[in-house]
Every structure is written in structure tokens, then in C-alpha cells.
């Protein structure tokens, strides 16, 4: 601890004073103590009061927990129960109110129905329906009476509809044919529609019966159903027959209280009525309906109400216009589309008539809104003309393709498709060409080659084609000519329709005539010619029309040249397939010749001779079948190929023999001589025999193995020296046709093994 003096100063400092004496310090301590003692006493009193207050709080809390909370819970439970009771009572009260409304509505409905106030009755039924719907929507509160109420409402609704139906049947009475077949003209003639024009006296008080009945139907939501049924009857028995049968005319008869609509018949001038006539007939029907039945304004039900009041005509139009429009398009406007572009200008009358027809229907409120599909179809005549023309062209082309092929016409280099002369594409080119040619003639030496090509150089050779193919090509030319006078879009469609004709030919003809093309050589030859004829025209077809078509096609698109290889291949493949069949038959017949061996045996010789005769007969028959059909060059090549097949087979069989006796050689020579003498006679490409000699003399040109066959005949009759002379050290005619090995083999077969034969064999090398 600090020193005594220091302690005093420290204490004094703590007491807030300065360095003072001991007595002063004691006085200050006493003073501070006296001041502190009351504060301490006061704090102790506060603590004592606080403890008492805390004790009271605890007692109060215990009292609340034990008594007040219990009373509060009881009060809340009672309040909840009272609230639920109030909700139940309110619900019961609302249900009773709805039941009262339902009962009142049914009573008022019955009263209105007895007085024939159909609109009021229908409205009361709707009120009853709304009340019942509200009652049924109350979940958790189900009454057994609701089922009975629903049944009662259904019964009363059906009763109401029955009465309305009776009234409707009085307003519009249908008299339909008794038979179920209503599509025939005789049945349609018995159809009648009777419309009541004057309301009966007892109904005049309730207002116009038509409006009352139809408004009641509208309130009950059954108007659309009734109108749909009425519209279907109207379409089936009146509107569609008027469109389909040109001879039908609407006939009206007005009596005292009824208007009768029926038909009368007259002789039609055409197979199809003009659109103007059809529109006039349909317009008359709608005018009658509008006057006597449909000019009735109606209030739509709340859920259907869009524009407030509507007329019955508008509702009927909504129900039947789409089907009626389709019928008018398919059975009237389609038939009126021109088949020739020159008649397109006259179609303006049809468009105008269609516009007037739609305007009249809009004035009667059958139609609403903008242009319908009917008018759009009429205005789009160019597109429909193109579509119809293209369809007609394809149908006509297909009919030609599926007709008989064997009806033929002869085509010569002078032949041309019957086509009107096309105008000169370059207006001033001819004059310029003349001036230029004169200038060249005056100033330059003529360098033209004196040798000129024949005018038939690029012509199709004389042959026969199917008359249907000639007509098909004429159809293509006529269609392209039609395209030159058409609009751009129509021109493009017609051009590609012509291309489609040829693509269709490529696919249809080989399939449709497949069996005949395989079995009948003449039809195969005709098909070959047909394809070559089409390919020949396709080379220049596009060029002929290039500058007459639309600009889109003038830039190189107007061509058919790409189809040419396909058609040539199609014709060649068909004819080559027939050639393979004929080759197979030739080889099959020669296979029965018993390899031309042992001809000294009479049976073997007869078999070989028969085979040779059959082959010649087959070739002669083919020669007659293809005569005047194939072009001469094709004919000669084909017959030469088949004859060459026979000769090659005979040479191969004889050259393969290992032993040929002298008698065998004579008989083989006799058989070969028959082939050489009669083989050329199968070349008869022309009907005139004197003109065929030229081609019979040219047989070596078309038969590759002809000289080989003749050399074989020489060998069969020659001696060893003659054979050696024919060989001539590999430079003779025999060496040109046979190899050394083949000649040696024949020598060994024909001659016995002697020194002379050995010497001769030694020279063959």
C-alpha cells in the first residue's frame, strides 16, 4: 500500500478533492455516508414492493389460466356453432328460394303454353332450368327432389318442343317422294315445299306465328338443329337438283293461305346448265324463302349473342352455305371453265353473274362478310383453266397410251405433225438477213461447198408407228400451241403438262402393254418405232416453241432434249429383249439337230433338216411381221443378227465334230446349201418383191458369219489340196474366216490319217 501521506492524498483524490488534512477527510466520508443511507433505504423499500407486486402477478396469471381461458374457449365454440347454423340457414333459405323460383317458372310456363305464348313459355322454362342448375351445383347439399325436378323439366321441355314442332310443321310442309331413292330425276319431280302465308285467327293476337315459334326455338337452343334439318332437306330436294339437272325449273304457285314451290321439266339445251341459269334458279328459291319464311329477326340466347338481333336467313345461310357453295363449284362452275384459251374473255360474264348472285344473297342477309369461296373460284378462272386443261390433256394422253398399239400409220421423211404455222419469232430478222446476204454476194466470193446434204438427212426413216402415238404427238403440239396464247402461269403449267405426257408414256406404256410387248414381235417393233418417233420430235419440240412461250421458259427451260436418251433407250431395250427371245428360240430349235453328227443316220438327218426348216420358217415369219414396220436399216440389221445367230451355231456345231464321213459331209453340205439359198430370202423389208432383191444381195453386209459359213461349205466338199490352196499359207479366204486349229480339226474329222493328210496339216499353220 502507499505511504501514509500518499494514501491520504489518494483517498482525497478519489473523493474529488485536493490534498487536504485527515479531519477534513473524515467529515467528507460521514457526509457521503449520510447521503447514501436514505438512497439505500429507498432501494430496499422498492425491492420489497416489487416482490409483492410479482406475487400478485403470479396470482392473477394463475387465475386467468384457471378461469378466463376456460370461459373464452366455451365462448368461441358457441360462436362457431352459431356461425355454422347461420350458414346452414342461409343455404336452406337460398335453396327454398330457388325451389320457389322453379315452381313459379313452371306455373307461368304452363299458363303461357296454354295461351300459345311460346316465347314467354320458353323463357320460363329457361328460368326453371337455371334454377335447377343452381340447385345441382350446391355440393354437399343434395336433395332427392332434384331428380324429380330434373325429370319434370325434361318432360316439360319435350312437351314444349312437341308443340313448337307441330307449329313448325304447319309453317313449312314438305311433300317428298315416297321412294328412298331421291337422287333420280323422276323422284325429284315429286318434291314440293308448302309455306303458310297467313296466320290463323286465334294466333294473330300472339303476334306473327313464324317469329313466335322460331324465337321460342332460339330460346330453347334448338333453332340451329331445326334449321340444320330444314337446310339439309332444302339442299337435297330443291337446291342440289336444280344445280345437277339442267332440265329442272322451279315453279311457284300462290294460293289463299299457302305458297307452293315445286318443279317442272323442260328439254335441256346442253348437258350442263350455265352458271347464270343456275344462279337465277337458286336466287328465286331464296327470294321465296326470304319473303314467306326467313325474314324474321331473332334474339339470340345470351351465350350465343354476338351482334344482338339476327335474322333467320342469316342463320340458315351459316348452316348451308358452305355445302351449297361446294356444290355450285363442283357441279356448275367447274363445267363452265373454258377448254380453250380463246374463250377465257367470255368468262367475264360468269364472274359478273357470280358477283350479282352473292350481292343478292347478301341483300337478303343469307350471306355476310367478304368474298366467299364461290366468287374466289370464279375470279381465279385462269388457274382453273390451266388445271382443267392440264387434267384433260393428261387424261387424253393416258387414253391414247392405253389404246391398242397395232393400229398403225406409215411415217415417211415427208411426214409432219398437223400443226398450224407458227409466226416468225424475229419480226425484223428476215429483212436484215436479206440485206446482209446481198452485201456478201456483191463483195465476197461464194465459198459454199457445192456438195449439199439431202433434205432428208435428219429426217426419220420410213417406218410404221402406232396411230395413237401420232395422235399423242399432235396433242403435245396443240397443247404447246395453246400455251403460246395463254397467261404466263397457264403457259408454264401447260408446258410442264406436255413434259408430263412423255414421262407418263415412259412409265405407263411398257407396264400396261408389257405382256404383248414380250410375246408379239410386231408390237415390240412398233414400240421401238414409237419411242424413236417421239425422241425424234423431242429433239426440236422445245426449240420450235422457245420464242413463243413466256419469258420464264425462254431462258433455256423450254426443252425436251433431256428426255431423248431415255426414250431411245426405252425403245432399244424393248426391241433387244424381243431379239433375245427370238435368238433363244433359234438356238432351241437348233438344239434338236443332234449336234449335226452321224448324218448318215436317216433319223439324225431328218432331225437336223427339220431344225434347219424351223429356223428358216421362224426367220421368214419374222421377216413378214417386221416388213414395212421397221426402218429398212434396222430391219436388215435385226434379220442379219438373227440369221447370223443360226449360222454361227451351225458352224460351231459342225466344227466341233470329230468324225465326218463322206456321206455325212454331203448331207451337211446339203443342209448348209439350204441355209445359203433360202437365208437371203428372209430379207423382205419392203412389200414390193422387186425392191427386196437389193437387200438380199447385201446379205454378207448384215450377216457377219456369212463368208465363214460359205467357207465351211467349201471345206465339206473340197479335197486336201483344195483346202491347202484355200488356206494359202494363212493368206487365203479360208484363213480369214477360220483359225489354223479349227481348219486342222475339220481336216482330221473329214479325212483319214494318211501321209497326205499329215502333209496337209503341216501346211496349215
Amino acid at each position: 500500500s502507499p505511504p501514509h501521506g500518499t494514501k491520504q492524498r489518494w483517498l482525497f483524490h478519489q473523493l474529488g478533492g485536493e490534498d487536504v488534512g485527515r479531519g477534513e477527510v473524515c467529515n467528507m466520508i460521514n457526509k457521503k455516508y449520510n447521503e447514501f443511507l436514505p438512497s439505500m433505504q429507498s432501494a430496499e423499500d422498492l425491492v420489497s414492493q416489487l416482490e409483492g407486486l410479482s406475487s400478485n402477478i403470479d396470482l392473477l396469471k394463475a387465475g386467468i389460466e384457471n378461469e378466463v381461458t376456460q370461459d373464452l374457449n366455451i365462448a368461441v365454440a358457441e360462436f362457431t356453432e352459431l356461425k355454422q347454423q347461420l350458414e346452414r340457414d342461409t343455404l336452406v333459405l337460398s335453396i327454398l328460394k330457388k325451389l320457389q323460383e322453379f315452381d313459379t317458372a313452371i306455373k307461368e310456363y304452363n299458363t303461357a303454353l296454354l295461351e300459345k305464348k311460346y316465347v314467354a313459355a320458353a323463357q320460363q322454362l329457361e328460368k326453371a332450368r337455371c334454377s335447377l342448375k343452381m340447385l345441382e351445383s350446391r355440393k354437399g347439399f343434395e336433395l332427392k327432389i332434384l331428380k324429380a325436378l330434373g325429370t319434370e323439366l325434361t318432360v316439360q321441355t319435350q312437351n314444349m318442343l312437341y308443340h313448337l314442332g307441330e307449329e313448325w310443321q304447319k309453317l313449312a310442309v314438305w311433300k317428298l317422294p315416297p321412294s328412298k331413292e331421291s337422287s333420280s330425276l323422276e323422284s325429284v319431280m315429286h318434291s314440293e315445299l308448302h309455306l303458310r302465308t297467313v296466320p290463323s285467327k286465334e294466333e294473330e293476337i300472339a303476334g306473327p306465328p313464324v317469329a313466335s315459334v322460331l324465337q321460342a326455338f332460339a330460346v330453347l337452343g334448338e333453332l340451329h338443329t331445326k334449321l340444320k334439318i330444314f337446310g339439309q332437306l332444302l339442299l337435297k330436294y330443291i337446291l342440289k337438283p336444280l344445280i345437277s339437272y339442267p332440265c329442272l325449273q322451279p315453279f311457284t304457285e300462290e294460293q289463299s293461305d299457302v305458297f307452293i314451290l315445286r318443279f317442272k321439266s323442260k328439254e335441256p339445251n346442253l348437258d350442263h346448265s350455265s352458271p347464270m341459269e343456275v344462279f337465277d334458279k337458286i336466287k328465286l328459291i331464296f327470294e321465296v324463302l326470304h319473303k314467306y319464311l326467313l325474314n324474321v329477326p331473332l334474339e339470340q340466347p345470351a351465350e350465343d349473342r354476338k351482334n344482338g338481333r339476327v335474322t333467320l336467313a342469316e342463320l340458315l345461310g351459316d348452316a348451308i352455305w358452305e355445302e351449297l357453295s361446294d356444290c355450285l363449284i363442283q357441279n356448275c362452275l367447274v363445267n363452265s371453265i373454258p377448254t380453250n384459251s380463246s374463250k377465257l374473255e367470255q368468262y367475264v360474264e360468269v364472274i359478273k353473274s357470280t358477283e350479282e348472285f352473292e350481292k343478292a344473297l347478301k341483300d337478303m342477309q343469307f350471306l355476310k362478310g367478304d368474298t366467299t369461296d364461290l366468287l374466289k373460284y370464279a375470279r381465279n378462272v385462269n388457274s382453273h383453266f390451266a388445271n382443267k386443261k392440264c387434267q384433260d390433256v393428261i387424261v387424253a394422253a393416258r387414253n391414247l397410251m392405253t389404246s391398242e398399239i397395232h393400229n398403225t400409220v406409215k411415217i415417211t421423211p415427208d411426214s409432219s405433225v398437223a400443226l398450224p404455222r407458227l409466226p416468225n419469232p424475229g419480226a425484223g430478222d428476215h429483212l436484215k438477213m436479206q440485206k446482209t446476204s446481198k452485201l456478201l454476194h456483191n463483195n465476197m466470193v461464194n465459198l459454199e461447198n457445192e456438195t449439199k446434204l439431202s433434205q432428208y438427212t435428219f429426217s426419220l426413216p420410213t417406218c410404221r408407228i402406232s396411230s395413237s402415238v401420232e395422235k399423242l404427238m399432235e396433242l403435245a403440239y396443240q397443247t404447246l400451241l395453246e400455251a403460246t396464247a395463254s397467261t404466263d402461269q397457264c403457259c408454264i403449267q401447260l408446258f410442264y403438262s406436255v413434259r408430263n405426257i412423255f414421262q407418263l408414256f415412259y412409265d405407263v406404256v411398257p407396264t400396261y402393254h408389257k405382256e404383248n410387248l414380250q410375246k408379239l414381235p410386231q408390237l415390240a417393233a412398233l414400240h421401238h418405232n414409237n419411242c424413236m418417233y417421239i425422241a425424234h420430235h423431242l429433239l426440236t419440240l422445245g426449240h420450235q416453241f422457245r420464242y413463243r412461250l413466256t419469258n420464264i421458259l425462254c431462258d433455256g427451260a423450254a426443252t425436251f432434249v433431256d428426255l431423248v436418251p431415255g426414250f431411245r433407250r426405252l425403245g432399244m431395250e424393248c426391241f433387244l429383249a424381243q431379239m433375245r427371245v427370238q435368238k433363244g428360240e433359234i438356238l432351241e430349235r437348233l438344239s434338236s439337230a443332234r449336234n449335226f453328227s452321224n448324218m448318215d443316220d436317216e433319223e439324225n438327218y431328218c432331225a437336223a433338216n427339220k431344225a434347219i426348216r424351223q429356223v428358216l420358217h421362224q426367220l421368214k415369219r419374222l421377216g413378214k411381221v417386221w416388213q414395212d414396220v421397221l426402218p429398212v436399216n434396222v430391219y436388215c440389221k435385226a434379220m442379219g443378227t438373227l440369221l447370223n445367230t443360226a449360222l454361227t451355231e451351225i458352224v460351231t456345231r459342225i466344227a466341233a465334230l470329230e468324225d465326218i464321213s463322206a456321206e455325212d459331209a454331203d448331207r451337211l453340205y446339203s443342209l448348209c446349201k439350204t441355209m445359203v439359198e433360202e437365208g437371203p430370202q428372209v430379207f423382205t423389208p419392203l412389200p414390193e418383191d422387186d425392191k427386196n432383191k437389193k437387200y438380199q444381195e447385201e446379205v454378207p453386209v448384215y450377216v457377219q458369219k456369212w463368208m465363214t459359213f460359205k467357207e465351211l461349205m467349201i471345206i465339206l466338199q473340197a479335197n486336201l489340196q483344195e483346202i491347202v490352196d484355200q488356206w494359202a499359207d494363212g493368206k487365203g479366204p479360208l484363213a480369214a474366216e477360220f483359225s489354223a486349229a479349227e481348219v486342222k480339226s475339220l481336216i482330221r474329222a473329214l479325212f483319214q490319217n494318211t501321209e497326205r493328210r499329215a502333209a496337209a496339216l503341216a501346211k496349215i499353220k
Side-chain angles (χ1 to χ4, degrees), residues 284-300:
L284 175 61
I285 300 300
F286 280 121
E287 286 172 351
V288 169
L289 292 175
H290 186 264
K291 181 178 179 181
Y292 295 104
L293 182 66
L294 302 179
N295 189 21
V296 179
L298 299 172
E299 288 287 348
Q300 287 285 73

Side-chain angles (χ1 to χ4, degrees), residues 116-120 122 160-172 196 203 206-223 226 293 296-298 312:
K116 292 191 176 182
K117 295 179 180 179
Y118 296 122
V119 177
M160 177 74 178
L161 291 175
Y162 172 77
H163 282 84
L164 292 175
E166 291 289 317
E167 296 295 338
W168 173 257
Q169 289 180 2
K170 295 176 185 177
L171 297 174
R196 193 171 69 185
E203 291 175 346
V210 175
S212 177
V213 171
L214 296 176
Q215 184 64 61
F217 272 126
V219 173
L220 294 176
E222 293 292 327
L223 183 59
K226 277 293 175 185
L293 182 66
V296 179
L298 299 172
L312 193 63

Side-chain angles (χ1 to χ4, degrees), residues 636-637 640-641 644 683 694-707:
C636 292
K637 287 179 182 178
T641 301
N644 188 71
F683 285 80
K694 170 188 175 184
Y695 305 105
Q696 293 171 358
E697 292 170 357
E698 295 175 352
V699 167
V701 177
Y702 304 110
V703 183
Q704 185 181 356
K705 293 292 184 178
W706 184 259
M707 297 309 298

Side-chain angles (χ1 to χ4, degrees), residues 13 204 537 698 759:
H13 178 72
E204 288 181 353
H537 279 278
E698 295 175 352

Side-chain angles (χ1 to χ4, degrees), residues 690-754:
D690 55 334
K691 294 182 180 180
N692 291 327
K693 292 181 180 179
K694 170 188 175 184
Y695 305 105
Q696 293 171 358
E697 292 170 357
E698 295 175 352
V699 167
V701 177
Y702 304 110
V703 183
Q704 185 181 356
K705 293 292 184 178
W706 184 259
M707 297 309 298
T708 304
F709 194 76
K710 296 194 77 172
E711 287 297 323
L712 176 64
M713 292 176 63
I714 292 173
I715 292 176
L716 290 174
Q717 292 292 298
N719 55 36
L720 284 171
Q721 185 58 46
E722 290 171 344
I723 294 173
V724 171
D725 292 342
Q726 284 289 105
W727 181 258
D729 295 330
K731 299 177 182 178
L734 182 60
E737 306 299 333
F738 288 96
S739 65
E742 290 172 334
V743 175
K744 288 181 179 180
S745 176
L746 284 170
I747 291 174
R748 292 189 182 99
L750 286 166
F751 300 98
Q752 294 181 354
N753 188 8
T754 62

Side-chain angles (χ1 to χ4, degrees), residues 452-488:
K452 295 183 178 180
L453 291 173
S454 168
Q455 61 175 331
Y456 301 127
T457 300
F458 297 106
S459 299
L460 194 71
T462 301
C463 64
R464 284 193 172 273
I465 63 169
S466 301
S467 58
S468 59
V469 171
E470 185 183 42
K471 293 175 182 176
L472 186 72
M473 190 54 64
E474 289 178 1
L475 176 65
Y477 274 94
Q478 293 294 340
T479 305
L480 287 175
L481 187 63
E482 185 87 29
T484 61
S486 303
T487 62
D488 288 355

Side-chain angles (χ1 to χ4, degrees), residues 327-345:
C327 184
L328 284 169
I329 291 172
Q330 298 301 326
N331 298 313
C332 181
L333 289 184
V334 166
N335 299 322
S336 70
I337 299 296
T339 55
N340 193 297
S341 58
S342 61
K343 298 180 180 179
L344 277 176
E345 294 181 0

Side-chain angles (χ1 to χ4, degrees), residues 91-161:
L91 180 59
V92 170
L93 184 61
S94 65
I95 289 173
L96 291 175
K97 186 177 179 181
K98 290 297 178 183
L99 288 173
Q100 183 187 16
E101 290 177 0
F102 181 88
D103 183 64
T104 303
I106 293 295
K107 288 179 180 179
E108 292 181 359
Y109 151 76
N110 288 322
T111 303
L113 185 60
L114 289 174
E115 297 173 358
K116 292 191 176 182
K117 295 179 180 179
Y118 296 122
V119 177
Q123 290 172 344
Q124 293 303 322
L125 273 182
E126 283 303 300
K127 287 182 180 179
R129 181 174 286 104
C130 291
S131 298
L132 182 60
K133 189 176 181 181
M134 185 67 71
L135 290 171
E136 290 174 343
S137 66
R138 301 285 187 180
K139 295 182 179 179
F141 197 96
E142 299 176 356
L143 293 176
K144 295 181 180 180
I145 194 175
L146 295 183
K147 187 174 182 181
L149 294 179
T151 303
E152 177 66 16
L153 181 62
T154 302
V155 170
Q156 296 303 330
T157 302
Q158 294 303 317
N159 183 40
M160 177 74 178
L161 291 175

